[in-house]
Amino acid sequence: MVCTKKNVHEGFRQAREEILNFIRSMTTDLQNISAQLQGPSFPSLIAWSAPSPPFVKANFDAKFCSIFVFSWSGVTIRDNQGYVLGACRCKALRIPSPFAAEAICLIHVTSLAGDLGFHSVIFEGDSLALIKKMNSEAHDFSEISALVWEAKGLAWNMHACCFLFIPWGGNQAAHALAGESSLDSTDCFWVEEVPPTVLPFVESDRRYATPS
């Protein structure tokens, strides 16, 4: 039996249809409130964009395993047409936090870009806090200060580079590479290719990419 406020407090017995209309109205109100609290979602607007020559774009992301305290870095480097120039998946041990995992990943991406001879690079990741640290000239006293300093040192050797934040939706190729469990447990490097499981994300980015 369904009871409403009028049933309990006023001794008024409502018709079944009236009660059902009341429930439908409340359900609609709750759905509207829930949608407002969640905010708008625009997944289709978040996309990887190709760099303008002579820059290449290096995307990076990390996967942290809290149980065994290690992480995997996923890195892709692509040209102005979205084609892969280089990629890597690297493991790091004794990592204390997800934040440190992202910082280690930043060292991996700057190292790979330098090793492949790229001097004009846009580094792009989905850790906003880390990107802010890389763009800041203030002294860093956080747990990852040494890692940030090392990554900055690698970047200073380049002719031109910048560090940009991109939401997760535009960083899926690097994210997929970091989390690809079918690969060997050792570090892997690729030149002008990526694993078959990551290729669909690269191809999707390339189809929708527009030079920035």
Side-chain angles (χ1 to χ4, degrees):
M1 178 180 179
V2 179
C3 295
T4 66
K5 180 178 178 181
K6 288 187 177 182
N7 288 124
V8 178
H9 297 288
E10 300 176 18
F12 180 80
R13 197 172 189 83
Q14 291 175 285
R16 179 174 178 274
E17 188 61 32
E18 187 177 359
I19 294 173
L20 291 175
N21 288 336
F22 171 79
I23 294 173
R24 293 191 190 101
S25 176
M26 291 296 294
T27 301
T28 301
D29 290 343
L30 288 173
Q31 290 174 342
N32 291 336
I33 292 172
S34 177
Q36 291 173 5
L37 291 175
Q38 291 176 0
S41 177
F42 306 104
S44 61
L45 299 181
I46 301 173
W48 184 86
S49 61
S52 298
F55 282 89
V56 298
K57 180 169 283 188
N59 286 82
F60 63 96
D61 199 8
K63 180 182 180 182
F64 175 66
C65 179
S66 58
I67 298 177
F68 299 105
V69 200
F70 68 82
S71 68
W72 283 103
S73 298
V75 174
T76 62
I77 302 178
R78 287 172 277 184
D79 64 14
N80 65 303
Q81 293 183 310
Y83 290 106
V84 175
L85 302 173
C88 73
R89 182 176 184 265
C90 300
K91 190 175 185 178
L93 303 175
R94 295 181 293 278
I95 303 302
S97 68
F99 201 26
E102 291 285 354
I104 287 287
C105 186
L106 187 57
I107 293 175
H108 288 151
V109 68
T110 49
S111 295
L112 181 63
D115 290 343
L116 293 178
F118 299 118
H119 301 290
S120 299
V121 186
I122 298 171
F123 294 100
E124 201 169 64
D126 55 27
S127 173
L128 180 58
L130 186 59
I131 296 299
K132 286 182 176 180
K133 285 181 178 294
M134 292 302 297
N135 289 320
S136 174
E137 296 182 358
H139 291 293
D140 183 16
F141 299 101
S142 69
E143 63 172 296
I144 63 167
S145 58
L147 300 175
V148 170
W149 181 258
E150 183 176 349
K152 285 184 175 181
L154 292 168
W156 284 334
N157 293 326
M158 298 178 180
H159 175 71
C161 69
C162 62
F163 295 87
L164 302 178
F165 167 76
I166 187 171
W168 176 85
N171 202 37
Q172 293 190 53
H175 179 81
L177 188 53
E180 183 46 64
S181 58
S182 66
L183 298 173
D184 293 338
S185 59
T186 56
D187 294 355
C188 297
F189 297 84
W190 298 267
V191 176
E192 297 185 352
E193 63 178 358
V194 291
T197 51
V198 180
L199 186 59
F201 297 98
V202 172
E203 290 298 321
S204 176
D205 287 343
R206 194 169 66 84
R207 283 196 300 268
Y208 296 104
T210 54
S212 56

